[in-house]
Structures are given as C-alpha cells and as structure tokens.
Amino acid sequence: MLLRKLIVAEVFLGHKVITRAKSSWDIVAGVCIERLPVVTPPLNEIQKKFKDLLWTIEIEKSLKSDHELRHESDKVQAELLKNEAVDVDLDTVSKITAQDFEDASTDELNQFKFADIITEADKKGIKSTPDRCLQRHLVLVTNQKLGNDVKTILPQGLWREGETLRQTAERVLSEQCGSELKVKFLSNAPCGFYKYKYPAEINGKSGAKVFFYYANYNDGEVDKKSKPNWLTRNELTEILPEKYNKTVQGFLIEETY
C-alpha cells in the first residue's frame, strides 16, 4: 500500500513537472546526503531515565542466566567434593568453573581499549571527509555556481525533459560528486522544497524551484572538484543562506544533544 502511494506521488509530481516545463521557473532537483552517526551519541536525560527503568525491570523480572546457573552448580559440586560425598561429579569439577571463566573474562575486558572517537580529520579540522564528528549527523554540501556567484549548498542540477525528479537527482549526484560515492535514496518523492528568484532573467526563466531528495551515505569518496564538505547541523546554519538553511533543517532529524 505504501509502495503504491509512493509510485502514485512520483507519477503525479512528474506530471506536474512536465506540464510546467514551459513555465517561467527552472525545475531543479537537489540531493541531501546525510552520513548517520557512526558512534552512538550520548543519551539525554529522558533516555537515561528510560534506560534505567528498563534495567530495573530486567533485574526484577528476568530469569537466571546460564552463567548464574552454572555458578550455582559449581558451588554445589565444590561443597560435595569438600565433604567427600559419593554424588560428586568429577567430570564437572575438573572443568573450568564459572568463576574461572568470569575471572578470565574480567582480565580480557581490563586489557581492552576503546578506539578514540576523535579522528585525525577532527584533530586537523578537515571537513572534506565523512570520517569526522562520529557521534553526529553530517550533511554533504558542495560548491554550486548560481549565475555569477559560487554558493556552498546541497548538490543540485536542472531537470531534463523525459526524466523523473528522482532520476534527475541521481544524475546530478553522479555528475557532480563522481561515481565512487555510494548512497541510498529513501523515497521516490521529494522531502523538501525551496524556490528563489534570479537577479535577472536567464533564458526566459525568472527563478528556480528546488525539489530536495534525501539519501543516506553508504561508502565512497566525493569528487574533489566539487569541493565537498561534510557539515554538522550547527555548521550548516553558519554557512547556508538563512532561508535555504531553514528549509533544509525542516526535513532533517533534530539532534538531541
């Protein structure tokens, strides 16, 4: 049912684009590529309270684990062996006990060192790689030539007759960011809309209507010729035009810290 609705929405939108192809507006497809957090972000206060509640319920209602049952069995066998009882299971006693396993696991844990969440890119202030700010969402921005100006915004390009907007978004991404970049589009329908007017008419067009598509970053590098940067929410606010940024932030998930 959901797939049918998405297909209908795409067909309807494609029809509207075709009927307005000769309007005074350029139709543009933009792509919002987001790298999701690689490391779990810190919990906020509500999340901490909920985690503690779940832990309390788990302790109160859970059954004993295999390790706890094994530990109790070892104690019984040790007591029987101490009293030289005939019921003692020598095969069980001769094996590694639950306490031995626990001690070995504790020693292994103490030797384990967590990797540093501060990457080399973070230390050097490099923003052209997604290997930074591992606990945050990052959005790809590139240099786009708009008239005589060069703006740092999301990748975008003009719609061509015969294309759906989704196809335009995929083509623009390949042309501007290179074929090595691997992403996953989450919908056939746009997630946002923005329009702006040109300072003067260009080829009979007074402005552009931008339809944004959302995609998740999977792998690969962005072509350096587009001068890419992977920015946090706050960095986007600092670099994007105010109204443009408000539109983009409107379809992004708000970070909780």
Side-chain angles (χ1 to χ4, degrees):
M1 188 66 181
L2 178 60
L3 180 59
R4 182 184 298 174
K5 288 182 178 180
L6 290 175
I7 293 175
V8 170
E10 173 72 3
V11 171
F12 176 72
L13 187 59
H15 174 72
K16 289 182 69 176
V17 168
I18 292 173
T19 56
R20 296 184 181 182
K22 296 182 180 180
S23 70
S24 60
W25 294 84
D26 278 326
I27 303 300
V28 176
V31 189
C32 177
I33 304 171
E34 188 169 44
R35 193 224 63 191
L36 301 179
V38 178
V39 179
T40 303
L43 300 180
N44 59 31
E45 289 304 316
I46 294 179
Q47 291 171 331
K48 289 179 182 177
K49 290 179 180 179
F50 186 66
K51 185 197 73 171
D52 293 339
L53 174 62
L54 291 180
W55 179 250
T56 301
I57 295 174
E58 174 71 16
I59 293 298
E60 293 176 350
K61 297 186 176 182
S62 66
L63 300 175
K64 291 183 179 180
S65 67
D66 290 343
H67 178 73
E68 290 171 317
L69 294 175
R70 179 182 171 189
H71 198 51
E72 291 180 354
S73 175
D74 289 343
K75 287 183 178 180
V76 172
Q77 293 298 325
E79 191 65 28
L80 292 175
L81 183 62
K82 180 179 180 181
N83 296 330
E84 298 182 352
V86 294
D87 294 332
V88 64
D89 188 343
L90 295 178
D91 289 337
T92 302
V93 173
S94 63
K95 293 180 180 179
I96 297 177
T97 64
Q99 188 61 51
D100 292 334
F101 175 78
E102 189 172 324
D103 292 340
S105 299
T106 301
D107 291 339
E108 184 178 354
L109 176 61
N110 292 335
Q111 295 175 10
F112 178 81
K113 293 183 179 180
F114 288 95
D116 193 356
I117 63 173
I118 306 299
T119 66
E120 287 298 317
D122 289 321
K123 295 175 182 178
K124 297 179 180 179
I126 300 173
K127 298 180 180 180
S128 60
T129 172
D131 187 27
R132 63 182 294 262
C133 299
L134 301 183
Q135 290 184 309
R136 294 190 176 276
H137 296 77
L138 297 181
V139 175
L140 175 66
V141 296
T142 59
N143 282 1
Q144 299 287 321
K145 188 174 182 181
L146 302 178
N148 296 325
D149 296 330
V150 175
K151 300 288 186 180
T152 300
I153 55 176
L154 305 185
Q156 67 176 42
L158 291 174
W159 168 80
R160 293 175 182 172
E161 189 171 353
E163 291 181 331
T164 65
L165 283 174
R166 164 73 181 266
Q167 290 171 336
T168 301
E170 292 173 342
R171 172 179 56 79
V172 167
L173 198 60
S174 177
E175 292 176 350
Q176 297 185 9
C177 299
S179 58
E180 293 184 9
L181 180 64
K182 307 300 180 185
V183 304
K184 180 180 180 180
F185 283 86
L186 300 190
S187 175
N188 286 326
C191 61
F193 170 78
Y194 178 77
K195 67 178 181 180
Y196 58 91
K197 285 193 173 182
Y198 300 143
E201 282 197 7
I202 301 177
N203 297 325
K205 306 294 184 180
S206 60
K209 294 184 177 181
V210 186
F211 296 86
F212 294 105
Y213 279 79
Y214 179 84
N216 286 151
Y217 170 80
N218 285 340
D219 193 20
E221 294 290 333
V222 182
D223 194 332
K224 299 302 181 184
K225 70 180 182 181
S226 62
K227 297 184 178 180
N229 281 305
W230 294 88
L231 305 181
T232 63
R233 298 285 192 271
N234 291 336
E235 290 169 343
L236 284 175
T237 301
E238 294 173 359
I239 201 168
L240 295 180
E242 183 178 356
K243 292 183 179 180
Y244 185 93
N245 175 66
K246 185 177 181 180
T247 298
V248 173
Q249 298 283 356
F251 56 77
L252 294 177
I253 297 176
E254 183 179 354
E255 289 188 329
T256 57
Y257 76 103

